[in-house]
Amino acid sequence: MSLFTTPTNSQGRDRLPRRLRVGWTLVLVAAAAIVAFSFLPTPYVIQQPGPVFDTLGTVEIDDKEVPLIDIDAETYPTDGSLDMLTVSVVGSRETRPNWFSVAQAWFDSSKAVLPLDSMYPQGVTLEQSREESRIEMENSQHDAVAAALRQLGYDVPTTLTIATVEEGYPAEGLLEVGDQIVTVNGESFADVASMREELADNGTESPATIEVVRDGEAKTFEVTPVPSELTGVPIVGVAVQVSYELPVDVTIRLDKVGGPSAGLMFALGIYDKLTPGDETGGESIAGTGTITGTGEVGAIGGVRQKMYGALKAGADWMLVPASNCADVAGNEPDGLSVFAVATLAEALTALEGISGGSTDDLQTCDAVAAAAAR
């Protein structure tokens, strides 16, 4: 007879192994549930660093390398690089990222997790978002050319034309595709950004007076803006395309990239090609920022992701809009020196300092943030 016994059930089987079996079953069921849950779609999208393009370099079109910026005028040799940065968005309303991917992104400083509605508002289709982004990219290219040529002293007249009219917005039934905008509240504009500022300043409590030319005939409409579903800024529901009477023919070749944030780097690339000497001094310089036709640099989205994109592409220096400094200060990745600019002229001054090895007087985002906190 054994000196040691174990508890048994009425049928003589060990209780402890049964408890272990039940425990392990529960653990496995819980693990399976967690794994299954992690692959469910989420109400978020993920921003991460996207492709980088050297505005002084080339792109491949039809198996041929062609200049990204091609200018039909006398140009000068360039060195170094002026990299424009992009952000890729993982997810849409049709293909939402799962919880596992979102959890990984939360712990990756080069990525950002954003609510789905912030990127794709309710009622706006993916096709509509892409079309708006395409128009913004085209406008940024036109604005960049105008800004660079004006910085070089050229006269560049402007035309603003309505490209789309959104259903359900105040402009529907009043303004039409092809209308040329002459004035808003009696003011004329050199670019789309300044016209949008006028509408924003007008607010949503009273109508804005919009004068257009339609088929050669002047017409005036009273249109009351409403808050944008995405930003809350007053809008009337039109996409406006800008065109300029250019004294120099400039072609920018860049497919499948949307949005307005490449404007600054396009302008710097154009300016560098049209001026003797080397604006970069052979340095690898990245940057981002919208630009108006008169050279003002504006804020962009995804600036933190773009800093990591710059570093990964091998840039040592980066230019960012001063209006983005709240997101930049204290978040710069090691190995990347970041300077803040508010105009094309300031960006050119920054290039001069970088190329000449004298950056002490250039504005950093830490300085901008400190000044704003005073």
Side-chain angles (χ1 to χ4, degrees):
M1 177 181 293
S2 172
L3 296 177
F4 300 96
T5 62
T6 58
T8 62
N9 59 21
S10 60
Q11 295 166 339
R13 291 194 302 237
D14 290 343
R15 289 179 181 174
L16 187 59
R18 181 173 184 276
R19 288 176 180 172
L20 283 174
R21 287 197 300 273
V22 171
W24 277 110
T25 299
L26 292 174
V27 169
L28 291 172
V29 169
I34 292 172
V35 170
F37 176 79
S38 70
F39 287 97
L40 291 176
T42 70
Y44 298 102
V45 294
I46 300 168
Q47 274 190 342
Q48 61 188 24
V52 175
F53 302 90
D54 179 11
T55 61
L56 299 178
T58 61
V59 291
E60 185 175 309
I61 297 178
D62 296 330
D63 298 325
K64 294 181 180 179
E65 291 291 327
V66 296
L68 191 151
I69 297 175
D70 195 8
I71 304 175
D72 187 16
E74 182 181 9
T75 58
Y76 300 88
T78 60
D79 198 3
S81 61
L82 289 171
D83 290 338
M84 58 156 285
L85 307 165
T86 70
V87 169
S88 295
V89 178
V90 178
S92 66
R93 291 202 174 277
E94 291 76 14
T95 56
R96 293 180 289 166
N98 57 49
W99 285 105
F100 181 74
S101 299
V102 167
Q104 283 185 314
W106 261 318
F107 294 99
D108 187 336
S109 56
S110 72
K111 298 180 180 181
V113 177
L114 302 174
L116 178 66
D117 287 346
S118 70
M119 293 298 298
Y120 302 103
Q122 292 282 355
V124 179
T125 67
L126 184 59
E127 290 71 23
Q128 288 173 323
S129 294
R130 287 174 174 169
E131 176 63 11
E132 182 178 354
S133 184
R134 183 193 67 78
I135 292 172
E136 288 178 333
M137 168 56 80
E138 287 190 8
N139 283 344
S140 76
Q141 295 177 2
H142 298 321
D143 289 338
V145 176
L149 294 182
R150 284 170 174 157
Q151 186 71 32
L152 290 164
Y154 289 97
D155 179 40
V156 184
T158 308
T159 301
L160 302 181
T161 305
I162 294 177
T164 63
V165 179
E166 298 296 332
E167 293 183 3
Y169 281 87
E172 185 182 13
L174 297 174
L175 303 179
E176 296 181 0
V177 172
D179 286 351
Q180 293 184 3
I181 298 176
V182 180
T183 64
V184 176
N185 293 335
E187 299 289 332
S188 58
F189 306 98
D191 48 53
V192 176
S194 53
M195 187 207 72
R196 286 176 175 165
E197 288 177 7
E198 177 61 34
L199 287 172
D201 291 342
N202 183 90
T204 59
E205 299 299 320
S206 59
T209 303
I210 302 177
E211 181 186 357
V212 303
V213 171
R214 181 182 299 165
D215 298 326
E217 181 181 354
K219 293 181 177 291
T220 302
F221 300 95
E222 300 290 314
V223 187
T224 302
V226 296
S228 164
E229 293 182 4
L230 182 60
T231 64
V233 174
I235 60 173
V236 296
V238 297
V240 178
Q241 195 135 21
V242 63
S243 59
Y244 297 98
E245 293 180 33
L246 298 173
V248 175
D249 187 17
V250 180
T251 301
I252 298 176
R253 301 182 178 93
L254 192 61
D255 294 332
K256 298 181 181 178
V257 178
S261 63
L264 171 61
M265 300 312 289
F266 287 146
L268 290 174
I270 294 164
Y271 187 95
D272 196 359
K273 284 173 170 276
L274 285 173
T275 52
D278 189 358
E279 299 296 325
T280 69
E283 298 284 342
S284 295
I285 304 170
T288 186
T290 67
I291 199 162
T292 68
T294 52
E296 287 79 24
V297 175
I300 52 86
V303 67
R304 294 189 190 183
Q305 288 68 56
K306 289 178 179 178
M307 287 192 292
Y308 282 94
L311 189 67
K312 185 178 180 180
D316 300 307
W317 316 89
M318 181 174 172
L319 307 181
V320 301
S323 46
N324 275 118
C325 277
D327 292 323
V328 172
N331 294 301
E332 302 93 331
D334 292 338
L336 185 69
S337 298
V338 182
F339 301 112
V341 298
T343 64
L344 177 58
E346 288 184 9
L348 290 168
T349 298
L351 293 191
E352 183 180 354
I354 293 169
S355 64
S358 178
T359 60
D360 291 344
D361 294 333
L362 299 182
Q363 184 171 240
T364 65
C365 275
D366 287 338
V368 172
R374 293 193 190 112

